Amino acid sequence: MLRWTVIFLVIAIIAGILGFGGIAAGAAGIAKILFFVFLVLFVLSLLSRGVGRS
Protein backbone atom coordinates (compact mmCIF):
# COMPACT_ATOMS: atom_id res chain seq x y z
CA MET A 1 0.00 0.00 0.00
CA LEU A 2 2.91 2.29 0.65
CA ARG A 3 4.02 1.67 -2.94
CA TRP A 4 0.70 3.04 -4.24
CA THR A 5 1.10 6.11 -2.04
CA VAL A 6 4.50 6.83 -3.57
CA ILE A 7 3.16 6.24 -7.10
CA PHE A 8 0.31 8.72 -6.62
CA LEU A 9 2.71 11.20 -5.02
CA VAL A 10 5.01 11.00 -8.06
CA ILE A 11 2.02 11.43 -10.38
CA ALA A 12 0.97 14.50 -8.40
CA ILE A 13 4.46 16.01 -8.60
CA ILE A 14 4.77 15.39 -12.34
CA ALA A 15 1.27 16.73 -13.02
CA GLY A 16 2.02 19.80 -10.93
CA ILE A 17 5.23 20.48 -12.84
CA LEU A 18 3.41 20.13 -16.16
CA GLY A 19 0.64 22.48 -15.04
CA PHE A 20 -2.23 20.04 -14.56
CA GLY A 21 -3.45 21.42 -11.23
CA GLY A 22 -6.66 19.41 -10.97
CA ILE A 23 -4.97 16.10 -11.64
CA ALA A 24 -2.16 16.99 -9.25
CA ALA A 25 -4.61 17.84 -6.48
CA GLY A 26 -6.56 14.63 -7.04
CA ALA A 27 -3.46 12.44 -7.04
CA ALA A 28 -2.13 14.18 -3.93
CA GLY A 29 -5.45 13.63 -2.17
CA ILE A 30 -5.44 9.94 -3.04
CA ALA A 31 -1.83 9.64 -1.88
CA LYS A 32 -2.71 11.30 1.43
CA ILE A 33 -5.67 8.97 2.02
CA LEU A 34 -3.63 5.86 1.18
CA PHE A 35 -0.82 7.00 3.48
CA PHE A 36 -3.19 7.41 6.44
CA VAL A 37 -4.80 4.02 5.74
CA PHE A 38 -1.29 2.51 5.68
CA LEU A 39 -0.47 4.15 9.02
CA VAL A 40 -3.66 2.85 10.65
CA LEU A 41 -3.05 -0.69 9.39
CA PHE A 42 0.59 -0.53 10.49
CA VAL A 43 -0.35 0.57 14.02
CA LEU A 44 -3.04 -2.10 14.23
CA SER A 45 -0.56 -4.78 13.18
CA LEU A 46 1.92 -3.58 15.81
CA LEU A 47 -0.76 -3.63 18.49
CA SER A 48 -1.93 -7.10 17.54
CA ARG A 49 1.63 -8.43 17.78
CA GLY A 50 2.13 -6.71 21.12
CA VAL A 51 -1.04 -8.16 22.61
CA GLY A 52 -0.06 -11.70 21.65
CA ARG A 53 3.34 -11.48 23.35
CA SER A 54 2.17 -10.38 26.79
Side-chain angles (χ1 to χ4, degrees):
M1 184 167 300
L2 194 55
R3 181 186 304 179
W4 284 105
T5 303
V6 173
I7 289 171
F8 277 108
L9 182 62
V10 170
I11 290 171
I13 291 171
I14 292 172
I17 290 172
L18 295 176
F20 299 107
I23 296 173
I30 292 172
K32 199 182 305 185
I33 290 169
L34 287 176
F35 180 71
F36 285 121
V37 169
F38 168 77
L39 281 181
V40 168
L41 292 176
F42 179 70
V43 169
L44 288 176
S45 70
L46 287 178
L47 290 176
S48 69
R49 289 177 187 250
V51 170
R53 292 181 185 240
S54 55

mmCIF file of all heavy atoms in Angstrom:
data_model
loop_
_atom_site.group_PDB
_atom_site.id
_atom_site.type_symbol
_atom_site.label_atom_id
_atom_site.label_comp_id
_atom_site.label_asym_id
_atom_site.label_seq_id
_atom_site.Cartn_x
_atom_site.Cartn_y
_atom_site.Cartn_z
ATOM 1 N N MET A 1 0.828 -1.184 0.000
ATOM 2 C CA MET A 1 0.000 0.000 0.000
ATOM 3 C C MET A 1 0.875 1.251 0.000
ATOM 4 O O MET A 1 0.508 2.259 -0.592
ATOM 5 C CB MET A 1 -0.898 -0.004 1.226
ATOM 6 C CG MET A 1 -1.854 1.151 1.246
ATOM 7 S SD MET A 1 -3.156 1.005 2.439
ATOM 8 C CE MET A 1 -3.962 -0.466 1.939
ATOM 9 N N LEU A 2 2.014 1.149 0.638
ATOM 10 C CA LEU A 2 2.913 2.294 0.650
ATOM 11 C C LEU A 2 3.446 2.565 -0.751
ATOM 12 O O LEU A 2 3.696 3.714 -1.125
ATOM 13 C CB LEU A 2 4.062 2.044 1.626
ATOM 14 C CG LEU A 2 4.913 3.221 2.023
ATOM 15 C CD1 LEU A 2 4.053 4.335 2.593
ATOM 16 C CD2 LEU A 2 5.954 2.813 3.029
ATOM 17 N N ARG A 3 3.574 1.515 -1.541
ATOM 18 C CA ARG A 3 4.018 1.675 -2.938
ATOM 19 C C ARG A 3 3.021 2.521 -3.728
ATOM 20 O O ARG A 3 3.410 3.400 -4.491
ATOM 21 C CB ARG A 3 4.174 0.308 -3.585
ATOM 22 C CG ARG A 3 4.661 0.401 -5.020
ATOM 23 C CD ARG A 3 4.683 -0.928 -5.711
ATOM 24 N NE ARG A 3 5.489 -1.879 -4.984
ATOM 25 C CZ ARG A 3 5.663 -3.134 -5.362
ATOM 26 N NH1 ARG A 3 5.072 -3.581 -6.438
ATOM 27 N NH2 ARG A 3 6.406 -3.951 -4.654
ATOM 28 N N TRP A 4 1.716 2.263 -3.538
ATOM 29 C CA TRP A 4 0.699 3.039 -4.243
ATOM 30 C C TRP A 4 0.717 4.502 -3.816
ATOM 31 O O TRP A 4 0.490 5.408 -4.614
ATOM 32 C CB TRP A 4 -0.692 2.449 -4.014
ATOM 33 C CG TRP A 4 -0.908 1.212 -4.824
ATOM 34 C CD1 TRP A 4 -0.903 -0.060 -4.368
ATOM 35 C CD2 TRP A 4 -1.128 1.140 -6.230
ATOM 36 N NE1 TRP A 4 -1.116 -0.922 -5.403
ATOM 37 C CE2 TRP A 4 -1.265 -0.211 -6.557
ATOM 38 C CE3 TRP A 4 -1.229 2.087 -7.234
ATOM 39 C CZ2 TRP A 4 -1.486 -0.638 -7.854
ATOM 40 C CZ3 TRP A 4 -1.456 1.664 -8.525
ATOM 41 C CH2 TRP A 4 -1.582 0.317 -8.821
ATOM 42 N N THR A 5 0.997 4.736 -2.532
ATOM 43 C CA THR A 5 1.101 6.110 -2.042
ATOM 44 C C THR A 5 2.211 6.846 -2.761
ATOM 45 O O THR A 5 2.042 7.986 -3.208
ATOM 46 C CB THR A 5 1.357 6.103 -0.524
ATOM 47 O OG1 THR A 5 0.313 5.386 0.125
ATOM 48 C CG2 THR A 5 1.436 7.510 0.022
ATOM 49 N N VAL A 6 3.362 6.200 -2.894
ATOM 50 C CA VAL A 6 4.501 6.827 -3.568
ATOM 51 C C VAL A 6 4.184 7.045 -5.051
ATOM 52 O O VAL A 6 4.530 8.089 -5.618
ATOM 53 C CB VAL A 6 5.772 5.974 -3.384
ATOM 54 C CG1 VAL A 6 6.915 6.503 -4.221
ATOM 55 C CG2 VAL A 6 6.165 5.924 -1.921
ATOM 56 N N ILE A 7 3.517 6.090 -5.675
ATOM 57 C CA ILE A 7 3.162 6.236 -7.096
ATOM 58 C C ILE A 7 2.254 7.443 -7.300
ATOM 59 O O ILE A 7 2.482 8.263 -8.194
ATOM 60 C CB ILE A 7 2.494 4.949 -7.624
ATOM 61 C CG1 ILE A 7 3.532 3.831 -7.726
ATOM 62 C CG2 ILE A 7 1.829 5.191 -8.977
ATOM 63 C CD1 ILE A 7 2.945 2.466 -8.027
ATOM 64 N N PHE A 8 1.217 7.586 -6.468
ATOM 65 C CA PHE A 8 0.313 8.724 -6.616
ATOM 66 C C PHE A 8 1.013 10.036 -6.281
ATOM 67 O O PHE A 8 0.720 11.070 -6.864
ATOM 68 C CB PHE A 8 -0.943 8.544 -5.754
ATOM 69 C CG PHE A 8 -1.983 7.687 -6.418
ATOM 70 C CD1 PHE A 8 -2.245 6.410 -5.974
ATOM 71 C CD2 PHE A 8 -2.708 8.169 -7.499
ATOM 72 C CE1 PHE A 8 -3.200 5.622 -6.585
ATOM 73 C CE2 PHE A 8 -3.666 7.394 -8.115
ATOM 74 C CZ PHE A 8 -3.908 6.113 -7.662
ATOM 75 N N LEU A 9 1.956 10.001 -5.343
ATOM 76 C CA LEU A 9 2.709 11.198 -5.019
ATOM 77 C C LEU A 9 3.570 11.639 -6.202
ATOM 78 O O LEU A 9 3.627 12.826 -6.539
ATOM 79 C CB LEU A 9 3.584 10.970 -3.794
ATOM 80 C CG LEU A 9 4.395 12.154 -3.300
ATOM 81 C CD1 LEU A 9 3.459 13.270 -2.874
ATOM 82 C CD2 LEU A 9 5.285 11.743 -2.158
ATOM 83 N N VAL A 10 4.205 10.686 -6.873
ATOM 84 C CA VAL A 10 5.013 11.001 -8.058
ATOM 85 C C VAL A 10 4.129 11.537 -9.180
ATOM 86 O O VAL A 10 4.485 12.506 -9.856
ATOM 87 C CB VAL A 10 5.815 9.762 -8.515
ATOM 88 C CG1 VAL A 10 6.456 9.984 -9.861
ATOM 89 C CG2 VAL A 10 6.869 9.413 -7.477
ATOM 90 N N ILE A 11 2.959 10.932 -9.364
ATOM 91 C CA ILE A 11 2.022 11.427 -10.376
ATOM 92 C C ILE A 11 1.616 12.863 -10.066
ATOM 93 O O ILE A 11 1.556 13.712 -10.958
ATOM 94 C CB ILE A 11 0.779 10.511 -10.465
ATOM 95 C CG1 ILE A 11 1.165 9.168 -11.079
ATOM 96 C CG2 ILE A 11 -0.323 11.164 -11.281
ATOM 97 C CD1 ILE A 11 0.070 8.128 -11.020
ATOM 98 N N ALA A 12 1.364 13.146 -8.795
ATOM 99 C CA ALA A 12 0.974 14.503 -8.402
ATOM 100 C C ALA A 12 2.096 15.500 -8.667
ATOM 101 O O ALA A 12 1.851 16.608 -9.151
ATOM 102 C CB ALA A 12 0.592 14.523 -6.924
ATOM 103 N N ILE A 13 3.325 15.112 -8.370
ATOM 104 C CA ILE A 13 4.456 16.013 -8.601
ATOM 105 C C ILE A 13 4.644 16.280 -10.086
ATOM 106 O O ILE A 13 4.811 17.431 -10.513
ATOM 107 C CB ILE A 13 5.733 15.434 -7.966
ATOM 108 C CG1 ILE A 13 5.618 15.480 -6.448
ATOM 109 C CG2 ILE A 13 6.969 16.193 -8.431
ATOM 110 C CD1 ILE A 13 6.716 14.744 -5.723
ATOM 111 N N ILE A 14 4.591 15.229 -10.897
ATOM 112 C CA ILE A 14 4.768 15.390 -12.345
ATOM 113 C C ILE A 14 3.636 16.229 -12.932
ATOM 114 O O ILE A 14 3.863 17.126 -13.747
ATOM 115 C CB ILE A 14 4.874 14.018 -13.035
ATOM 116 C CG1 ILE A 14 6.174 13.341 -12.625
ATOM 117 C CG2 ILE A 14 4.810 14.164 -14.547
ATOM 118 C CD1 ILE A 14 6.292 11.904 -13.084
ATOM 119 N N ALA A 15 2.406 15.959 -12.519
ATOM 120 C CA ALA A 15 1.270 16.730 -13.022
ATOM 121 C C ALA A 15 1.371 18.190 -12.596
ATOM 122 O O ALA A 15 1.025 19.091 -13.362
ATOM 123 C CB ALA A 15 -0.045 16.119 -12.532
ATOM 124 N N GLY A 16 1.850 18.428 -11.385
ATOM 125 C CA GLY A 16 2.022 19.796 -10.927
ATOM 126 C C GLY A 16 3.080 20.545 -11.720
ATOM 127 O O GLY A 16 2.915 21.720 -12.051
ATOM 128 N N ILE A 17 4.168 19.860 -12.037
ATOM 129 C CA ILE A 17 5.226 20.482 -12.836
ATOM 130 C C ILE A 17 4.718 20.810 -14.235
ATOM 131 O O ILE A 17 5.038 21.867 -14.784
ATOM 132 C CB ILE A 17 6.465 19.558 -12.897
ATOM 133 C CG1 ILE A 17 7.143 19.514 -11.530
ATOM 134 C CG2 ILE A 17 7.451 20.024 -13.953
ATOM 135 C CD1 ILE A 17 8.248 18.477 -11.439
ATOM 136 N N LEU A 18 3.914 19.927 -14.799
ATOM 137 C CA LEU A 18 3.409 20.131 -16.157
ATOM 138 C C LEU A 18 2.213 21.084 -16.207
ATOM 139 O O LEU A 18 1.758 21.429 -17.291
ATOM 140 C CB LEU A 18 3.034 18.790 -16.791
ATOM 141 C CG LEU A 18 4.202 17.826 -17.020
ATOM 142 C CD1 LEU A 18 3.689 16.510 -17.564
ATOM 143 C CD2 LEU A 18 5.236 18.429 -17.945
ATOM 144 N N GLY A 19 1.703 21.492 -15.059
ATOM 145 C CA GLY A 19 0.636 22.481 -15.041
ATOM 146 C C GLY A 19 -0.769 21.915 -14.965
ATOM 147 O O GLY A 19 -1.738 22.642 -15.166
ATOM 148 N N PHE A 20 -0.905 20.646 -14.699
ATOM 149 C CA PHE A 20 -2.234 20.042 -14.557
ATOM 150 C C PHE A 20 -2.629 20.081 -13.083
ATOM 151 O O PHE A 20 -2.480 19.104 -12.350
ATOM 152 C CB PHE A 20 -2.239 18.601 -15.071
ATOM 153 C CG PHE A 20 -1.896 18.475 -16.524
ATOM 154 C CD1 PHE A 20 -0.674 17.966 -16.932
ATOM 155 C CD2 PHE A 20 -2.805 18.873 -17.484
ATOM 156 C CE1 PHE A 20 -0.369 17.850 -18.270
ATOM 157 C CE2 PHE A 20 -2.508 18.761 -18.831
ATOM 158 C CZ PHE A 20 -1.286 18.254 -19.222
ATOM 159 N N GLY A 21 -3.163 21.214 -12.646
ATOM 160 C CA GLY A 21 -3.450 21.419 -11.232
ATOM 161 C C GLY A 21 -4.518 20.506 -10.681
ATOM 162 O O GLY A 21 -4.402 20.007 -9.563
ATOM 163 N N GLY A 22 -5.576 20.270 -11.454
ATOM 164 C CA GLY A 22 -6.655 19.414 -10.970
ATOM 165 C C GLY A 22 -6.221 17.977 -10.781
ATOM 166 O O GLY A 22 -6.548 17.338 -9.780
ATOM 167 N N ILE A 23 -5.469 17.472 -11.732
ATOM 168 C CA ILE A 23 -4.972 16.101 -11.639
ATOM 169 C C ILE A 23 -3.979 15.987 -10.493
ATOM 170 O O ILE A 23 -3.974 15.005 -9.747
ATOM 171 C CB ILE A 23 -4.326 15.666 -12.967
ATOM 172 C CG1 ILE A 23 -5.387 15.634 -14.061
ATOM 173 C CG2 ILE A 23 -3.645 14.325 -12.829
ATOM 174 C CD1 ILE A 23 -4.843 15.391 -15.448
ATOM 175 N N ALA A 24 -3.143 16.997 -10.330
ATOM 176 C CA ALA A 24 -2.158 16.991 -9.248
ATOM 177 C C ALA A 24 -2.850 16.981 -7.889
ATOM 178 O O ALA A 24 -2.451 16.252 -6.984
ATOM 179 C CB ALA A 24 -1.234 18.188 -9.364
ATOM 180 N N ALA A 25 -3.888 17.782 -7.746
ATOM 181 C CA ALA A 25 -4.611 17.835 -6.476
ATOM 182 C C ALA A 25 -5.315 16.509 -6.192
ATOM 183 O O ALA A 25 -5.317 16.032 -5.055
ATOM 184 C CB ALA A 25 -5.623 18.972 -6.499
ATOM 185 N N GLY A 26 -5.898 15.916 -7.225
ATOM 186 C CA GLY A 26 -6.564 14.629 -7.039
ATOM 187 C C GLY A 26 -5.592 13.527 -6.660
ATOM 188 O O GLY A 26 -5.860 12.740 -5.749
ATOM 189 N N ALA A 27 -4.465 13.472 -7.337
ATOM 190 C CA ALA A 27 -3.463 12.439 -7.038
ATOM 191 C C ALA A 27 -2.871 12.657 -5.651
ATOM 192 O O ALA A 27 -2.616 11.691 -4.920
ATOM 193 C CB ALA A 27 -2.371 12.443 -8.090
ATOM 194 N N ALA A 28 -2.655 13.901 -5.268
ATOM 195 C CA ALA A 28 -2.128 14.179 -3.933
ATOM 196 C C ALA A 28 -3.140 13.790 -2.860
ATOM 197 O O ALA A 28 -2.760 13.265 -1.808
ATOM 198 C CB ALA A 28 -1.758 15.646 -3.811
ATOM 199 N N GLY A 29 -4.418 14.030 -3.121
ATOM 200 C CA GLY A 29 -5.450 13.630 -2.172
ATOM 201 C C GLY A 29 -5.520 12.128 -2.001
ATOM 202 O O GLY A 29 -5.632 11.619 -0.879
ATOM 203 N N ILE A 30 -5.430 11.404 -3.105
ATOM 204 C CA ILE A 30 -5.438 9.940 -3.038
ATOM 205 C C ILE A 30 -4.210 9.440 -2.291
ATOM 206 O O ILE A 30 -4.292 8.528 -1.462
ATOM 207 C CB ILE A 30 -5.510 9.340 -4.458
ATOM 208 C CG1 ILE A 30 -6.864 9.639 -5.083
ATOM 209 C CG2 ILE A 30 -5.257 7.835 -4.421
ATOM 210 C CD1 ILE A 30 -6.962 9.267 -6.550
ATOM 211 N N ALA A 31 -3.047 10.037 -2.559
ATOM 212 C CA ALA A 31 -1.825 9.635 -1.876
ATOM 213 C C ALA A 31 -1.936 9.872 -0.371
ATOM 214 O O ALA A 31 -1.498 9.052 0.433
ATOM 215 C CB ALA A 31 -0.629 10.395 -2.443
ATOM 216 N N LYS A 32 -2.555 10.985 0.008
ATOM 217 C CA LYS A 32 -2.712 11.299 1.426
ATOM 218 C C LYS A 32 -3.628 10.286 2.110
ATOM 219 O O LYS A 32 -3.332 9.807 3.201
ATOM 220 C CB LYS A 32 -3.283 12.707 1.565
ATOM 221 C CG LYS A 32 -3.079 13.310 2.925
ATOM 222 C CD LYS A 32 -3.705 14.690 3.060
ATOM 223 C CE LYS A 32 -3.237 15.647 1.999
ATOM 224 N NZ LYS A 32 -3.753 17.010 2.205
ATOM 225 N N ILE A 33 -4.730 9.948 1.456
ATOM 226 C CA ILE A 33 -5.665 8.970 2.024
ATOM 227 C C ILE A 33 -4.999 7.607 2.165
ATOM 228 O O ILE A 33 -5.100 6.957 3.212
ATOM 229 C CB ILE A 33 -6.935 8.870 1.150
ATOM 230 C CG1 ILE A 33 -7.748 10.151 1.272
ATOM 231 C CG2 ILE A 33 -7.782 7.673 1.548
ATOM 232 C CD1 ILE A 33 -8.875 10.265 0.259
ATOM 233 N N LEU A 34 -4.297 7.166 1.121
ATOM 234 C CA LEU A 34 -3.625 5.864 1.185
ATOM 235 C C LEU A 34 -2.551 5.841 2.263
ATOM 236 O O LEU A 34 -2.352 4.826 2.936
ATOM 237 C CB LEU A 34 -3.009 5.523 -0.175
ATOM 238 C CG LEU A 34 -3.987 5.133 -1.276
ATOM 239 C CD1 LEU A 34 -3.240 4.925 -2.577
ATOM 240 C CD2 LEU A 34 -4.740 3.874 -0.896
ATOM 241 N N PHE A 35 -1.850 6.949 2.451
ATOM 242 C CA PHE A 35 -0.822 7.002 3.483
ATOM 243 C C PHE A 35 -1.432 6.847 4.865
ATOM 244 O O PHE A 35 -0.913 6.100 5.699
ATOM 245 C CB PHE A 35 -0.046 8.317 3.386
ATOM 246 C CG PHE A 35 1.032 8.439 4.421
ATOM 247 C CD1 PHE A 35 2.176 7.666 4.331
ATOM 248 C CD2 PHE A 35 0.895 9.307 5.477
ATOM 249 C CE1 PHE A 35 3.172 7.762 5.286
ATOM 250 C CE2 PHE A 35 1.882 9.424 6.436
ATOM 251 C CZ PHE A 35 3.025 8.647 6.343
ATOM 252 N N PHE A 36 -2.563 7.527 5.131
ATOM 253 C CA PHE A 36 -3.187 7.410 6.441
ATOM 254 C C PHE A 36 -3.783 6.018 6.662
ATOM 255 O O PHE A 36 -3.733 5.489 7.775
ATOM 256 C CB PHE A 36 -4.231 8.502 6.644
ATOM 257 C CG PHE A 36 -3.608 9.842 6.900
ATOM 258 C CD1 PHE A 36 -3.867 10.911 6.056
ATOM 259 C CD2 PHE A 36 -2.754 10.043 7.965
ATOM 260 C CE1 PHE A 36 -3.286 12.147 6.276
ATOM 261 C CE2 PHE A 36 -2.166 11.275 8.197
ATOM 262 C CZ PHE A 36 -2.434 12.334 7.353
ATOM 263 N N VAL A 37 -4.309 5.404 5.617
ATOM 264 C CA VAL A 37 -4.798 4.024 5.737
ATOM 265 C C VAL A 37 -3.635 3.099 6.056
ATOM 266 O O VAL A 37 -3.734 2.206 6.913
ATOM 267 C CB VAL A 37 -5.523 3.587 4.441
ATOM 268 C CG1 VAL A 37 -5.791 2.095 4.435
ATOM 269 C CG2 VAL A 37 -6.820 4.353 4.274
ATOM 270 N N PHE A 38 -2.480 3.302 5.391
ATOM 271 C CA PHE A 38 -1.288 2.510 5.677
ATOM 272 C C PHE A 38 -0.867 2.679 7.136
ATOM 273 O O PHE A 38 -0.541 1.703 7.807
ATOM 274 C CB PHE A 38 -0.148 2.919 4.741
ATOM 275 C CG PHE A 38 1.185 2.370 5.156
ATOM 276 C CD1 PHE A 38 1.501 1.054 4.908
ATOM 277 C CD2 PHE A 38 2.106 3.176 5.797
ATOM 278 C CE1 PHE A 38 2.724 0.541 5.298
ATOM 279 C CE2 PHE A 38 3.327 2.679 6.186
ATOM 280 C CZ PHE A 38 3.637 1.355 5.936
ATOM 281 N N LEU A 39 -0.867 3.919 7.630
ATOM 282 C CA LEU A 39 -0.466 4.152 9.020
ATOM 283 C C LEU A 39 -1.388 3.444 10.005
ATOM 284 O O LEU A 39 -0.929 2.836 10.975
ATOM 285 C CB LEU A 39 -0.450 5.648 9.319
ATOM 286 C CG LEU A 39 0.752 6.426 8.839
ATOM 287 C CD1 LEU A 39 0.615 7.887 9.228
ATOM 288 C CD2 LEU A 39 2.026 5.859 9.408
ATOM 289 N N VAL A 40 -2.696 3.505 9.760
ATOM 290 C CA VAL A 40 -3.657 2.851 10.654
ATOM 291 C C VAL A 40 -3.437 1.342 10.648
ATOM 292 O O VAL A 40 -3.392 0.703 11.712
ATOM 293 C CB VAL A 40 -5.107 3.210 10.251
ATOM 294 C CG1 VAL A 40 -6.109 2.321 10.962
ATOM 295 C CG2 VAL A 40 -5.383 4.670 10.526
ATOM 296 N N LEU A 41 -3.270 0.760 9.468
ATOM 297 C CA LEU A 41 -3.051 -0.690 9.391
ATOM 298 C C LEU A 41 -1.726 -1.089 10.038
ATOM 299 O O LEU A 41 -1.628 -2.132 10.686
ATOM 300 C CB LEU A 41 -3.095 -1.149 7.935
ATOM 301 C CG LEU A 41 -4.457 -1.061 7.261
ATOM 302 C CD1 LEU A 41 -4.340 -1.451 5.788
ATOM 303 C CD2 LEU A 41 -5.469 -1.938 7.970
ATOM 304 N N PHE A 42 -0.706 -0.254 9.886
ATOM 305 C CA PHE A 42 0.589 -0.526 10.495
ATOM 306 C C PHE A 42 0.486 -0.513 12.020
ATOM 307 O O PHE A 42 0.998 -1.412 12.692
ATOM 308 C CB PHE A 42 1.619 0.495 10.009
ATOM 309 C CG PHE A 42 2.975 0.311 10.592
ATOM 310 C CD1 PHE A 42 3.756 -0.778 10.234
ATOM 311 C CD2 PHE A 42 3.485 1.222 11.497
ATOM 312 C CE1 PHE A 42 5.010 -0.953 10.770
ATOM 313 C CE2 PHE A 42 4.733 1.059 12.046
ATOM 314 C CZ PHE A 42 5.511 -0.037 11.680
ATOM 315 N N VAL A 43 -0.187 0.485 12.567
ATOM 316 C CA VAL A 43 -0.350 0.567 14.019
ATOM 317 C C VAL A 43 -1.176 -0.607 14.534
ATOM 318 O O VAL A 43 -0.850 -1.195 15.575
ATOM 319 C CB VAL A 43 -0.977 1.920 14.411
ATOM 320 C CG1 VAL A 43 -1.402 1.932 15.868
ATOM 321 C CG2 VAL A 43 -0.003 3.049 14.132
ATOM 322 N N LEU A 44 -2.227 -0.958 13.808
ATOM 323 C CA LEU A 44 -3.039 -2.104 14.227
ATOM 324 C C LEU A 44 -2.237 -3.399 14.210
ATOM 325 O O LEU A 44 -2.383 -4.237 15.107
ATOM 326 C CB LEU A 44 -4.274 -2.234 13.340
ATOM 327 C CG LEU A 44 -5.356 -1.188 13.548
ATOM 328 C CD1 LEU A 44 -6.477 -1.372 12.526
ATOM 329 C CD2 LEU A 44 -5.901 -1.260 14.956
ATOM 330 N N SER A 45 -1.375 -3.564 13.218
ATOM 331 C CA SER A 45 -0.560 -4.777 13.181
ATOM 332 C C SER A 45 0.455 -4.794 14.319
ATOM 333 O O SER A 45 0.728 -5.847 14.897
ATOM 334 C CB SER A 45 0.148 -4.911 11.833
ATOM 335 O OG SER A 45 1.160 -3.943 11.701
ATOM 336 N N LEU A 46 1.004 -3.637 14.670
ATOM 337 C CA LEU A 46 1.924 -3.581 15.808
ATOM 338 C C LEU A 46 1.207 -3.894 17.114
ATOM 339 O O LEU A 46 1.734 -4.613 17.968
ATOM 340 C CB LEU A 46 2.572 -2.199 15.907
ATOM 341 C CG LEU A 46 3.630 -1.873 14.871
ATOM 342 C CD1 LEU A 46 4.141 -0.452 15.090
ATOM 343 C CD2 LEU A 46 4.778 -2.851 14.917
ATOM 344 N N LEU A 47 -0.002 -3.366 17.268
ATOM 345 C CA LEU A 47 -0.764 -3.626 18.490
ATOM 346 C C LEU A 47 -1.166 -5.091 18.595
ATOM 347 O O LEU A 47 -1.149 -5.665 19.683
ATOM 348 C CB LEU A 47 -1.998 -2.736 18.544
ATOM 349 C CG LEU A 47 -1.734 -1.251 18.761
ATOM 350 C CD1 LEU A 47 -3.031 -0.470 18.690
ATOM 351 C CD2 LEU A 47 -1.039 -1.021 20.089
ATOM 352 N N SER A 48 -1.524 -5.698 17.489
ATOM 353 C CA SER A 48 -1.932 -7.104 17.536
ATOM 354 C C SER A 48 -0.746 -8.005 17.870
ATOM 355 O O SER A 48 -0.894 -9.000 18.568
ATOM 356 C CB SER A 48 -2.571 -7.525 16.210
ATOM 357 O OG SER A 48 -1.605 -7.555 15.190
ATOM 358 N N ARG A 49 0.437 -7.644 17.422
ATOM 359 C CA ARG A 49 1.626 -8.431 17.778
ATOM 360 C C ARG A 49 1.994 -8.212 19.227
ATOM 361 O O ARG A 49 2.429 -9.130 19.898
ATOM 362 C CB ARG A 49 2.806 -8.047 16.902
ATOM 363 C CG ARG A 49 2.669 -8.501 15.477
ATOM 364 C CD ARG A 49 3.849 -8.019 14.667
ATOM 365 N NE ARG A 49 3.652 -8.319 13.267
ATOM 366 C CZ ARG A 49 4.361 -9.223 12.623
ATOM 367 N NH1 ARG A 49 5.296 -9.889 13.238
ATOM 368 N NH2 ARG A 49 4.128 -9.440 11.363
ATOM 369 N N GLY A 50 1.805 -7.007 19.730
ATOM 370 C CA GLY A 50 2.132 -6.710 21.121
ATOM 371 C C GLY A 50 1.197 -7.388 22.086
ATOM 372 O O GLY A 50 1.621 -7.836 23.150
ATOM 373 N N VAL A 51 -0.064 -7.527 21.741
ATOM 374 C CA VAL A 51 -1.039 -8.160 22.612
ATOM 375 C C VAL A 51 -0.746 -9.653 22.731
ATOM 376 O O VAL A 51 -0.852 -10.245 23.790
ATOM 377 C CB VAL A 51 -2.486 -7.916 22.088
ATOM 378 C CG1 VAL A 51 -3.483 -8.769 22.839
ATOM 379 C CG2 VAL A 51 -2.822 -6.448 22.190
ATOM 380 N N GLY A 52 -0.344 -10.263 21.638
ATOM 381 C CA GLY A 52 -0.063 -11.698 21.646
ATOM 382 C C GLY A 52 1.160 -12.068 22.450
ATOM 383 O O GLY A 52 1.272 -13.179 22.960
ATOM 384 N N ARG A 53 2.088 -11.164 22.625
ATOM 385 C CA ARG A 53 3.344 -11.477 23.347
ATOM 386 C C ARG A 53 3.215 -11.340 24.846
ATOM 387 O O ARG A 53 4.008 -11.864 25.578
ATOM 388 C CB ARG A 53 4.465 -10.554 22.851
ATOM 389 C CG ARG A 53 4.864 -10.832 21.443
ATOM 390 C CD ARG A 53 5.973 -9.902 21.048
ATOM 391 N NE ARG A 53 6.277 -10.099 19.638
ATOM 392 C CZ ARG A 53 7.458 -10.476 19.196
ATOM 393 N NH1 ARG A 53 8.444 -10.676 20.037
ATOM 394 N NH2 ARG A 53 7.654 -10.655 17.917
ATOM 395 N N SER A 54 2.234 -10.603 25.336
ATOM 396 C CA SER A 54 2.169 -10.378 26.790
ATOM 397 C C SER A 54 1.433 -11.446 27.538
ATOM 398 O O SER A 54 1.134 -12.485 27.166
ATOM 399 C CB SER A 54 1.498 -9.048 27.088
ATOM 400 O OG SER A 54 0.238 -8.966 26.476
#
